[in-house]
Each structure stands twice: as C-alpha cells, then as structure tokens.
Amino acid sequence: MRMVLMNGEFIPREQAKVDIEDRGYQFGDGIYEVIRVYNGKMFMAKEHLERLSASSEKIGIAISYSISELTTLLEELIAKNSLSTGIIYMQFTRGVSPRNHSYPTEAVTPTFVAYTKMLNRPLDNLENGVSTITVEDIRWSRCDIKSLNLLGNVMAKQKATEADCYESIQYRELSVTEGSSSNIWIVNGEKIQTHEANQFILNGITRQKIIQLCGENGIEVEEKAFSIEDLIDADEVFLSSTTSEVTPIVSVNNVPVKEGKVGEMTKKLQNLFVEAIISECGQISN
Ligand code: PDD
C-alpha cells in the first residue's frame, strides 16, 4: 500500500485529504522541496532541508521539526514505500484558517505532507540532450523562495510543451534568469557561467553541487547573469535540477547549440555529478 506522511503520521495515500481552507490550497501560501532518491538513499538531503528551512523563515512559517527529525521521517517514508530510484516531494503550508489574505492572527499549525514517487534517471535526455525555447520571465521578484506559487513557472513550462520542447529558458529584460524548473548554464572554452544566486532565481541544490565540484576540479565558474545573445553564441548550454541532473541543451528556439551535439564540458560535469551521487548513495542502477 502506498503510504504518505501527513502532519507527522504515516497514512495510506487514499486517506490523505486537504481542507478547502488550507492556505496552501487557497493562496499557494507554503513552501516545498523535491529530493532525489538513488538506491533507497536521499541525495543531498541536508542541503534540501536547510533550503526548506530558509524558505520557511523568509515567509514566516514556523516548522516544528528539526532537520534531523525530518530526515528520520523521510527515511522511514522511503522504507515504507520500498523506494529505490525516485523522488520525495514535501511541502509545508501555513495551515488551515478562514480565508483572509493576511497571515492568521491566531496560532495555526502548518500542514505538512510528504510522499514518494518512483522516477528513473532521464538517461535518454542525459545522453542526447533536450530542446528548449526562450520565454519572458513574468514571475515575481522572490524566486529565491521555493514557494508553492508556481503559476509563472507552470505557464512557462506549458509554452515549452506546446513547442515540443523540454524546457523554457526565461529572461528578464536582457538577462537569462533560469528555466521553468531548472537552472541554466553556458560554457565557453573551459569556463562555465550561470546566473548569480539572488532573488531572481532559485539557488538550486544541483547548481550548488556543480559549483562545488568545479571548485574541487579546477573548473572556472562565473556566477553572473548572461544575455540571450550569450546563450545563442555559447559553446555548450545545459540545465540542472534535482530530477534532470546535468542535462545538455542541444537547441534553443529551433537553432542548434553549436552543431547540436552534447559538449565535452557538459559530459565532464555529468561524470563528476554521477561520481558525487555514487559517493553519497552507493552504486546506482539505472
Ligand atoms: N525544480 N529553478 C527552479 C524554478 C526550480 O523549480 C528548480 C527545481 C530548480 C533547480 O533546483 P534543484 O537543483 O534544487 O532541484 C531551479 C524542482 C525539481 C521541481 O519543482 O520539481
């Protein structure tokens, strides 16, 4: 039976219900995380839970669980669902309260939900790359918060889907910010570049791992916004996220990136990333 974690209790999936006046349901008033599971073990759980805690502080939701308590609960959730390769989705909302835009004045317990999903590594995309389009970034200016309010991201992803593409690359004025659900990188020669971690992007955990791996392997990284022109002219382009890892981008707006082949630096980073997974989670199967 599929078990989910709801407010600290493990219950069957069918019994997990949300109140119509939950603020997450009505306002998107909450935060979430997606954590990768390889070989039954979470990858970079501490970093994800620290970002969750940072997001909760930014919007004033008090999480009553410590990071180590959450880790134990999530490990139990993986075990109860016998998950090997997949993800954990988890969210906290501000809780249930009569509808009113301002935060409730009375004490409200946040609603906490977590569940697992089987999800293989995207081997075909990792090997052959994906196509993308560019779209204007219409989102708010606190994209650093991993908020449940994803309408801007959802609309951007839908444009990609309608264009038969995997991802939308968003731009604000002349600068590329990030994908609808990923961070975007360019490579020129031996140097890689991605938008700085400010309020216009989510500071991806995969992004942070790539920067760390580059530091350890003498690869130069510049954290600075680049333009659409830079994107089109780059030697290589790739995206990063928990579910997509280091995915090569082989075309932007129907124009191939260089010859439309996966670049050498992207392959090198993919290998370093897989080594990092194996050293934390053990040998991975697919
Ligand atoms: N998305 N930027 C945005 C807007 C994202 O939604 C994500 C992740 C990222 C990459 O972050 P990370 O490396 O921590 O996954 C960047 C998740 C996977 C999602 O919403 O499903």
Side-chain angles (χ1 to χ4, degrees):
M1 191 192 306
R2 193 161 165 224
M3 299 299 279
V4 308
L5 184 55
M6 186 145 195
N7 299 324
E9 307 281 326
F10 292 98
I11 57 172
R13 163 72 185 89
E14 295 67 36
Q15 287 174 24
K17 298 274 190 285
V18 176
D19 192 289
I20 58 164
E21 287 195 307
D22 190 287
R23 291 183 60 94
Y25 180 63
Q26 289 193 326
F27 297 109
D29 186 1
I31 43 150
Y32 77 104
E33 279 294 328
V34 178
I35 305 178
R36 246 297 179 192
V37 175
Y38 299 104
N39 207 14
K41 296 192 187 69
M42 284 182 280
F43 181 58
M44 301 190 75
K46 182 168 169 283
E47 290 80 357
H48 280 282
L49 295 174
E50 280 171 359
R51 183 172 67 184
L52 180 80
S53 162
S55 292
S56 76
E57 277 165 25
K58 287 173 185 175
I59 65 166
I61 288 182
I63 296 180
S64 61
Y65 303 86
S66 67
I67 287 183
S68 89
E69 284 167 340
L70 284 176
T71 307
T72 307
L73 283 170
L74 297 179
E75 282 168 354
E76 248 181 276
L77 182 67
I78 292 171
K80 284 195 192 303
N81 290 285
S82 310
L83 181 69
S84 178
T85 306
I87 55 156
I88 289 180
Y89 175 84
M90 65 188 298
Q91 67 171 46
F92 280 86
T93 75
R94 199 177 301 280
V96 178
S97 182
R99 187 173 187 277
N100 181 6
H101 282 64
S102 338
Y103 298 175
T105 45
E106 78 282 15
V108 169
T109 311
T111 309
F112 169 32
V113 170
Y115 60 83
T116 59
K117 192 179 136 199
M118 275 167 53
L119 185 71
N120 285 338
R121 299 183 58 226
L123 294 182
D124 185 31
N125 289 349
L126 291 171
E127 196 180 328
N128 301 311
V130 296
S131 301
T132 60
I133 53 167
T134 53
V135 304
E136 193 184 351
D137 193 339
I138 58 163
R139 302 171 305 158
W140 68 334
S141 32
R142 289 309 304 274
C143 299
D144 55 309
I145 301 170
K146 202 159 169 63
S147 147
L148 295 178
N149 274 291
L150 289 175
L151 199 47
N153 307 61
V154 166
M155 289 167 73
K157 185 72 93 186
Q158 180 59 20
K159 285 196 175 140
T161 305
E162 284 167 11
D164 241 342
C165 287
Y166 180 75
E167 179 62 304
S168 278
I169 300 178
Q170 302 174 99
Y171 58 88
R172 217 179 259 274
E173 290 169 8
L174 293 178
S175 297
V176 169
T177 51
E178 61 179 344
S180 72
S181 61
S182 61
N183 293 116
I184 304 292
W185 307 70
I186 55 173
V187 181
N188 281 303
E190 295 295 301
K191 196 187 99 183
I192 71 173
Q193 188 174 345
T194 193
H195 196 287
E196 65 267 32
N198 63 11
Q199 74 274 26
F200 294 119
I201 67 154
L202 181 76
N203 187 3
I205 302 301
T206 319
R207 176 187 181 281
Q208 294 170 41
K209 184 51 123 187
I210 293 168
I211 292 172
Q212 181 203 326
L213 292 170
C214 286
E216 290 166 4
N217 289 277
I219 300 165
E220 192 190 340
V221 183
E222 188 174 14
E223 291 181 70
K224 185 168 165 264
F226 53 85
S227 65
I228 303 237
E229 231 172 20
D230 296 333
L231 176 77
I232 310 261
D233 288 344
D235 290 344
E236 301 174 30
V237 182
F238 66 92
L239 61 84
S240 68
S241 84
T242 294
T243 47
S244 301
E245 301 179 7
V246 176
T247 293
I249 291 176
V250 290
S251 88
V252 178
N253 296 336
N254 266 325
V255 179
V257 175
K258 290 296 168 203
E259 276 92 52
K261 292 200 205 80
V262 176
E264 288 310 310
M265 178 61 88
T266 307
K267 284 189 199 157
K268 187 169 168 178
L269 295 171
Q270 287 182 324
N271 290 337
L272 291 172
F273 194 75
V274 167
E275 280 170 25
I277 298 170
I278 293 171
S279 81
E280 192 174 329
C281 302
Q283 203 61 46
I284 39 180
S285 46
N286 101 318

